[in-house]
């Protein structure tokens, strides 16, 4: 076990997967010589050569389409899309091809590909480089969507995604690439399994990705007021761990669902609706959502801070559900 930054954990997962399986290849803009926009693929081309670590033209549609074909032909491509915003250019290949192939070919053909992409704001990158679009992809049958919050999960869940026979969207918050944590390569993870980041008894915060850290900060602040907050890290958005969420609701009887993406029609809406349908008798208060307003991400740093989910907003939400 060693301490690694989030980006280093991603790099190690790719390295170990490529060493253990020659069918794993890496594709994307600047992933080879430059080592990726956030340096998550640094050093891979030196280890595995240009045949397995390929710089591509600036054409997200072509990159993902090629990966779908390569996956159906027996390879395990890991595609890097530089910013999640640019996934819009590859939606046909993802939604109409990768997600549908197993169903359209009667289960005789799989698409074992991973699409890695960073999302999220907080860096004044503007409205076209800061979006969280995971709800789009979680809505598509045939796609799996993963969003880790720790270097350990970045490693373990990426290894699981590469081993999965179906297409997986692996979402990384670009503000977390420098986050440090212990990583044990022998520790595995299962797509669709949540983890309790902090146990509590008074209210549950259900979240994922970078918002987990904000939830933990809010929980620590509320602890000094005698309020015990459970933080449930979903880790996987599609499929998501319904049993873990219901168990948390049964323990605390109050729920805040939080994510950085726009609140309207988001992941939190699905979870809140599911809790209302399946866990209503356990609730002592309505489910509260904390997310982004219905507007593009501001470029201004001052405005962006009002747009983002913060510990203060989560504290206020917890206090609301306890009122």
């Amino acid at each position: 076990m060693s301490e690694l930054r989030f980006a280093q954990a991603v790099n190690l997962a790719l390295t170990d997967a490529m060493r253990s399986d020659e069918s794993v290849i890496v594709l994307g803009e600047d992933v080879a010589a430059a080592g990726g926009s956030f340096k998550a693929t640094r050093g891979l081309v030196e280890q595995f050569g240009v045949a397995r670590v390929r710089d591509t033209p600036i054409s997200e549609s072509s990159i993902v389409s090629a990966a779908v074909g390569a996956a159906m032909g027996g390879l395990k491509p890991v595609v890097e899309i530089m910013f999640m915003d640019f996934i819009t250019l590859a939606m046909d290949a993802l939604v109409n091809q990768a997600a549908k192939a197993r169903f359209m070919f009667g289960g005789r053909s799989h698409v074992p590909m991973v699409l890695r992409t960073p999302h999220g704001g907080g860096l004044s990158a503007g409205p076209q480089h800061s979006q969280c679009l995971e709800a789009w992809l979680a809505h598509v049958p045939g796609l799996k969507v993963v969003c880790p919050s720790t270097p350990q999960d970045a490693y373990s869940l990426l290894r699981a995604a590469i081993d999965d026979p179906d297409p997986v969207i692996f979402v990384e918050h670009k503000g977390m690439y420098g986050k440090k944590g212990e990583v044990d390569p022998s520790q595995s993870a299962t797509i669709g399994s949540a983890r309790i980041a902090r146990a509590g008894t008074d209210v549950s915060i259900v979240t994922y990705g970078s918002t987990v850290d904000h939830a933990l900060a809010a929980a620590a602040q509320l602890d000094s007021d005698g309020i015990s907050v459970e933080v449930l890290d979903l880790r996987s958005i599609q499929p998501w761990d319904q049993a873990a969420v219901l168990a948390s609701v049964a323990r605390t009887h109050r729920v805040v669902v939080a994510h950085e993406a726009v609140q309207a029609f988001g992941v939190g809406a699905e979870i809140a609706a599911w809790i209302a349908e399946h866990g209503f008798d356990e609730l002592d208060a309505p489910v509260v959502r904390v997310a982004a307003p219905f507007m593009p991400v501001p470029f201004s740093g001052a405005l962006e801070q009002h747009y983002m989910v913060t510990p203060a907003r989560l504290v206020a939400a917890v206090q609301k559900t306890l009122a």
Side-chain angles (χ1 to χ4, degrees):
M1 183 181 294
S2 57
E3 185 178 69
L4 298 176
R5 296 184 185 275
F6 192 99
Q8 292 173 320
V10 171
N11 184 281
L12 181 61
L14 292 170
T15 300
D16 289 349
M18 296 181 78
R19 283 177 179 165
S20 63
D21 188 345
E22 291 186 354
S23 67
V24 179
I25 61 173
V26 174
L27 306 171
E29 299 163 14
D30 294 332
V31 297
S37 297
F38 297 95
K39 306 308 176 185
T41 57
R42 178 184 287 171
L44 294 182
V45 70
E46 288 81 6
Q47 295 183 69
F48 303 105
V50 295
R52 295 182 65 193
V53 184
R54 291 180 175 245
D55 281 332
T56 65
I58 303 175
S59 174
E60 285 76 12
S61 175
S62 299
I63 299 166
V64 178
S65 295
V68 174
M72 295 181 71
L75 296 176
K76 294 181 179 178
V78 180
V79 171
E80 179 179 303
I81 298 298
M82 195 176 291
F83 291 91
M84 193 175 203
D85 314 68
F86 304 160
I87 210 169
T88 54
L89 301 165
M91 289 297 274
D92 178 67
L94 279 176
V95 174
N96 292 327
Q97 308 305 327
K100 306 293 190 294
R102 179 164 64 86
F103 302 92
M104 295 181 70
F105 291 99
R108 291 175 294 175
S109 179
H110 290 263
V111 184
M113 64 170 282
V114 177
L115 188 150
R116 293 182 43 251
T117 188
H119 76 163
L123 303 177
S124 293
Q128 295 177 335
H129 294 76
S130 305
Q131 296 174 88
C132 297
L133 303 176
E134 56 272 10
W136 288 10
L137 302 162
H139 187 70
V140 179
L143 296 180
K144 296 178 181 178
V145 184
V146 173
C147 190
S149 67
T150 66
Q152 178 64 63
D153 280 345
Y155 177 89
S156 300
L157 285 171
L158 183 52
R159 292 298 306 272
I162 294 170
D163 289 339
D164 198 285
D166 294 313
V168 180
I169 313 301
F170 194 85
V171 185
E172 305 159 5
H173 196 287
K174 55 181 172 286
M176 293 178 62
Y177 281 123
K179 179 180 178 179
K180 293 181 179 180
E182 295 292 328
V183 176
D184 180 0
S186 67
Q187 184 175 322
S188 62
T190 302
I191 293 175
S193 176
R195 73 178 181 96
I196 298 174
R198 176 183 174 129
T201 57
D202 294 329
V203 59
S204 300
I205 299 180
V206 179
T207 186
Y208 60 87
S210 68
T211 314
V212 172
D213 287 342
H214 300 316
L216 290 171
Q221 180 178 336
L222 288 161
D223 189 56
S224 62
D225 296 329
I227 300 171
S228 175
V229 178
E230 179 156 295
V231 178
L232 187 68
D233 178 3
L234 288 176
R235 304 199 292 180
S236 176
I237 301 164
Q238 185 61 268
W240 59 282
D241 196 339
Q242 297 171 343
V245 170
L246 188 59
S248 186
V249 173
R251 283 190 293 272
T252 68
H253 308 291
R254 291 174 173 84
V255 185
V256 173
V257 186
H259 53 69
E260 188 178 321
V262 169
Q263 177 171 299
F265 298 91
V267 173
E270 167 64 20
I271 295 171
W274 190 91
I275 292 172
E277 183 176 356
H278 298 279
F280 182 80
D281 289 342
E282 296 289 354
L283 290 174
D284 288 343
V287 176
V288 176
R289 289 179 291 161
V290 180
F294 192 63
M295 65 174 293
V297 185
F299 173 76
S300 161
L303 288 176
E304 191 177 31
Q305 288 306 307
H306 288 284
Y307 182 94
M308 301 289 290
V309 172
T310 62
R313 289 183 63 193
L314 290 169
V315 167
V318 167
Q319 292 170 337
K320 177 181 179 180
T321 193
L322 287 168

